[in-house]
Amino acid sequence: MASSKKNQTFLFYIPVALMMLWTVFPLYWTLNTSLKPEGDVVQRTIQYIPHNITLENYINAWKDVGFDTYFGNSIFVSIFTVLLTTLVSLLAGYALGRYQFKGKNVFMLILLMTQFIPRSMLIIPLFVIFSKLGLISNPLSLILIYSTVQIPFAAILMSGFISNIPKELEESASIDGAKQYQVLFKVILPLLLPGIVATSINIFVYAWNEFLLALMLTNNQAKFTLPVGLSFMMGEFNVNYGALAAGSIIALIPSIILFAIAQKQLVNGMGGAVKG
Amino acid sequence: MEKAIAAPTPQLKRQHRKNRMRKATPYLLLLPSIIMIVAFLFYPMATVFYYSFQHYDISAPFYDGFAGISNYVDIFTKDKLFYSSLLNTFKWVISEVGLQLIIGLMFALLLNEKFRFRGLARTITFLPWAISGVLTSVMWMLMYNEHIGVFNDILMRVGLIEKNISFLSSTNQAFMSVIIAELWRGIPFFAVTLLAGLQNIPEELYEAAKVDGATRLDELKSITLPQLKNTIVLTTLLRIVWEFNNVDLLYNLTGGGPANSTMTYAMYIAKTAVKGSNFGYGSALTAIGFMILTVVAFLYLKFSKYNEEA
């Protein structure tokens, strides 16, 4: 709330500490488990701090369980989803942010409506469509559907960023004799870059984390993405908890790094998008 | 006037063509997104309704063909899981969205205070938002585990339980356990959006209230909450839709069990689809779910009086 003086009483830090504990503990516990040798993991006395720190679970998960493959698949799918979504939504965002045209409001409404199409309800028809196209267990199917799902929100964000750039900048550049594409690349794109980065990270995190469609559209273990690989491992009869925890930490690293880098823009972008 | 009647000069022709191009540009720019949205969102949704009137069983291809409304009749008359999964969905959505909103608001209020390490605290609090549902399932599964889980150990040390509980495989605790795990991932979304909302409230409102001698609770009730109303309505609506469809944790932590006690509607559809035999029946379930969700969203917007003055 709007307290102008610094609130530093001791009591204030109790709820903050609880908030941190609630958030951090599951992460800590996974890290803790991943660093213990298998014998210590299944021991009946619980170790809150690992005694014999080892990286064997990481080596095991990466080499034997197949997280190297899953990681590669996830990177491939996520990067191409980001590229495709950014390109397509940038075009749409430019149209929405810069032009007045017939059907604009209808299109905006369509974009908003897509947000209410339940994802779990797409799994049967998409499975049928991609089987007919011969794209089951092909990363292209995931790239296409992830992009489509992300385009509406990304386009709305982009149009917001674009309409925030003063039109006069473009006009004065054209008067100076710059061609349309020169204006785009030299004037608009640099100003848009922070917005594009925030949107791209949002898209990356979605593609990196998506589970249900990936599960449905992949039936070849060599094509699993990380979430599907983790789920598959959890479902095994003899779960190797140490390797499972290590695999989770591996899967966690890219999104944590991106999140830490762009946390501020992400939060501002999200906040702006749902502002009433 | 004369100019308009005169034969168009080459210059004018070029001007016309340029104008036409200018008019076509926005549509060309929108074309790729329209194609993708139609091909992979609208067309699939349409086929769901089509399949729902078909016998479409990939384990029995000889049984294909028009089914009339028999899939729907079966669902409403014979399918007990249909009703129980709807009830579970109701419980799931209400408790998730309600608790996420309340706790998320508390987090946002805390993070809006000025204190040392506030930036770091914000980053950490928002972190679970970037973490996948499957990862969240792994983390909580490790903590809930009956034999190696830390929760049993803590409860035992505190003296609350005498022997280990199987949090995820007993019908008494499983649903509650998954709800708590999903809270961990869902709260940051509210914390983020509500914090952004809080920062948009003009400081003067609070200063005026202070002059009038308002307490913190008064401020919350008469300034903060009304000012946040639109944000709250919109974020809760998004969350209702999202939690209605959310299956990641349920699929990975309990698979809808034990004894279907955690089977929500979306989980039921996912299970029908992934087990993947009867697509006609699954499509009818899907179509019903879509209609329920649409009605809920519509009623919600109507009764929450979104965008009207409080």
Side-chain angles (χ1 to χ4, degrees):
Chain A
M1 241 167 277
S3 54
S4 43
K5 65 169 195 277
K6 274 205 170 189
N7 201 336
Q8 283 181 340
T9 55
F10 171 71
L11 279 177
F12 174 76
Y13 283 94
I14 294 175
V16 174
L18 286 174
M19 185 168 76
M20 295 294 105
L21 183 68
W22 156 260
T23 309
V24 170
F25 191 76
L27 291 162
Y28 170 72
W29 199 252
T30 311
L31 184 67
N32 176 23
T33 310
S34 76
L35 294 172
K36 292 175 191 168
E38 190 62 15
D40 286 5
V41 173
V42 295
Q43 211 179 51
R44 292 210 73 104
T45 47
I46 307 267
Q47 292 172 15
Y48 286 82
I49 296 161
H51 297 316
N52 316 302
I53 289 182
T54 168
L55 291 179
E56 75 180 37
N57 289 318
Y58 286 87
I59 296 163
N60 187 2
W62 189 255
K63 278 198 185 146
D64 301 337
V65 183
F67 275 85
D68 53 346
T69 312
Y70 308 153
F71 196 87
N73 293 339
S74 276
I75 288 275
F76 184 82
V77 168
S78 305
I79 286 182
F80 279 94
T81 302
V82 168
L83 291 177
L84 184 59
T85 313
T86 308
L87 181 68
V88 175
S89 62
L90 201 54
L91 297 177
Y94 194 77
L96 293 170
R98 270 293 182 265
Y99 291 90
Q100 286 304 326
F101 55 93
K102 232 185 235 168
K104 184 173 168 175
N105 289 333
V106 177
F107 186 73
M108 280 300 258
L109 194 69
I110 289 175
L111 289 186
L112 288 174
M113 265 173 57
T114 59
Q115 300 303 294
F116 293 98
I117 293 182
R119 307 285 157 83
S120 65
M121 306 197 171
L122 291 170
I123 46 184
I124 291 177
L126 285 177
F127 180 79
V128 175
I129 290 170
F130 285 117
S131 317
K132 282 181 183 157
L133 294 173
L135 291 178
I136 296 293
S137 292
N138 184 328
L140 187 60
S141 63
L142 295 182
I143 294 167
L144 282 172
I145 183 60
Y146 290 173
S147 301
T148 311
V149 165
Q150 290 293 301
I151 282 167
F153 188 59
I156 292 172
L157 283 180
M158 294 286 189
S159 82
F161 295 134
I162 287 167
S163 55
N164 278 340
I165 299 173
K167 215 171 180 175
E168 295 75 47
L169 273 181
E170 268 177 84
E171 280 157 4
S172 66
S174 345
I175 290 167
D176 291 347
K179 294 223 164 59
Q180 181 78 27
Y181 71 89
Q182 283 175 323
V183 177
L184 272 182
F185 282 100
K186 297 237 168 88
V187 183
I188 306 295
L189 218 52
L191 289 170
L192 262 182
L193 213 57
I196 293 179
V197 169
T199 314
S200 302
I201 290 178
N202 205 16
I203 299 162
F204 185 95
V205 170
Y206 166 80
W208 190 258
N209 287 340
E210 202 286 332
F211 166 67
L212 191 57
L213 293 166
L215 174 74
M216 192 64 183
L217 298 176
T218 318
N219 44 32
N220 175 354
Q221 199 170 345
K223 300 291 176 187
F224 281 180
T225 56
L226 281 167
V228 181
L230 278 172
S231 167
F232 185 74
M233 207 183 160
M234 275 176 96
E236 278 174 359
F237 183 67
N238 254 330
V239 184
N240 179 342
Y241 293 107
L244 183 64
S248 304
I249 298 292
I250 292 171
L252 200 64
I253 291 169
S255 32
I256 287 205
I257 292 175
L258 287 179
F259 180 79
I261 293 172
Q263 185 254 129
K264 225 174 193 146
Q265 284 101 312
L266 263 177
V267 169
N268 290 343
M270 275 302 294
V274 295
K275 215 162 35 192
Chain B
M1 268 311 213
E2 249 172 72
K3 241 185 188 172
I5 299 162
T9 64
Q11 207 184 347
L12 256 176
K13 264 189 191 164
R14 218 178 306 136
Q15 193 65 41
H16 274 283
R17 208 167 33 199
K18 228 178 169 180
N19 275 342
R20 246 202 325 254
M21 271 295 283
R22 183 170 282 270
K23 273 199 172 150
T25 313
Y27 299 106
L28 287 176
L29 292 172
L30 291 179
L31 199 60
S33 25
I34 293 175
I35 291 175
M36 289 179 74
I37 289 170
V38 169
F40 299 117
L41 287 176
F42 289 161
Y43 173 71
M45 274 316 291
T47 58
V48 162
F49 287 95
Y50 173 74
Y51 294 145
S52 73
F53 295 107
Q54 303 280 318
H55 291 296
Y56 185 8
D57 192 333
I58 55 171
S59 68
F62 47 88
Y63 186 51
D64 285 1
F66 185 63
I69 56 166
S70 69
N71 286 326
Y72 289 93
V73 171
D74 285 353
I75 289 171
F76 285 113
T77 56
K78 292 183 197 153
D79 194 341
K80 280 193 185 127
L81 210 46
F82 167 71
Y83 292 102
S84 69
S85 66
L86 271 183
L87 186 67
N88 280 338
T89 304
F90 192 66
K91 285 194 240 169
W92 169 261
V93 171
I94 300 262
S95 46
E96 282 302 343
V97 178
L99 291 169
Q100 285 171 23
L101 173 64
I102 294 167
I103 303 171
L105 180 62
M106 295 192 319
F107 280 22
L109 288 171
L110 275 178
L111 292 169
N112 199 34
E113 295 282 334
K114 295 193 178 87
F115 62 93
R116 204 190 284 232
F117 305 123
R118 180 171 77 169
L120 183 67
R122 282 184 182 176
T123 306
I124 292 174
T125 312
F126 299 155
L127 191 59
W129 182 43
I131 293 173
S132 78
V134 182
L135 259 175
T136 308
S137 319
V138 174
M139 293 179 188
W140 287 78
M141 184 262 250
L142 291 172
M143 297 189 295
Y144 279 139
N145 189 285
E146 184 176 359
H147 306 292
I148 67 160
V150 64
F151 286 153
N152 272 315
D153 193 62
I154 293 172
L155 290 176
M156 202 90 96
R157 279 166 196 262
V158 180
L160 280 174
I161 55 171
E162 271 161 20
K163 66 177 192 342
N164 283 1
I165 300 175
S166 51
F167 290 98
L168 294 169
S169 50
S170 90
T171 45
N172 293 328
Q173 283 105 23
F175 205 33
M176 179 81 89
S177 304
V178 188
I179 283 176
I180 292 172
E182 174 63 22
L183 278 183
W184 184 77
R185 204 163 91 82
I187 288 169
F189 173 80
F190 278 99
V192 169
T193 51
L194 294 176
L195 180 63
L198 285 176
Q199 287 172 343
N200 283 322
I201 302 177
E203 191 92 359
E204 299 84 56
L205 290 177
Y206 292 105
E207 279 157 16
K210 240 175 222 123
V211 174
D212 292 345
T215 64
R216 287 239 151 169
L217 200 63
D218 294 333
E219 285 183 355
L220 185 67
K221 269 195 298 200
S222 52
I223 302 173
T224 310
L225 288 178
Q227 289 279 328
L228 281 180
K229 191 185 155 199
N230 278 347
T231 309
I232 291 177
V233 170
L234 205 58
T235 43
T236 46
L237 179 62
L238 283 172
R239 276 326 265 197
I240 288 171
V241 176
W242 159 246
E243 292 298 356
F244 185 97
N245 290 300
N246 185 2
V247 297
D248 291 17
L249 260 83
L250 292 158
Y251 189 94
N252 287 295
L253 281 178
T254 62
N260 294 323
S261 63
T262 63
M263 186 70 82
T264 60
Y265 198 72
M267 182 63 215
Y268 183 32
I269 292 173
K271 221 170 177 181
T272 315
V274 175
K275 265 169 67 194
S277 55
N278 198 338
F279 279 9
Y281 194 80
S283 296
L285 284 173
T286 305
I288 294 170
F290 180 67
M291 287 184 280
I292 293 173
L293 198 58
T294 310
V295 171
V296 167
F298 175 77
L299 289 178
Y300 183 79
L301 276 181
K302 195 166 156 55
F303 284 107
S304 61
K305 300 197 169 79
Y306 177 62
N307 246 342
E308 281 176 28
E309 287 304 313

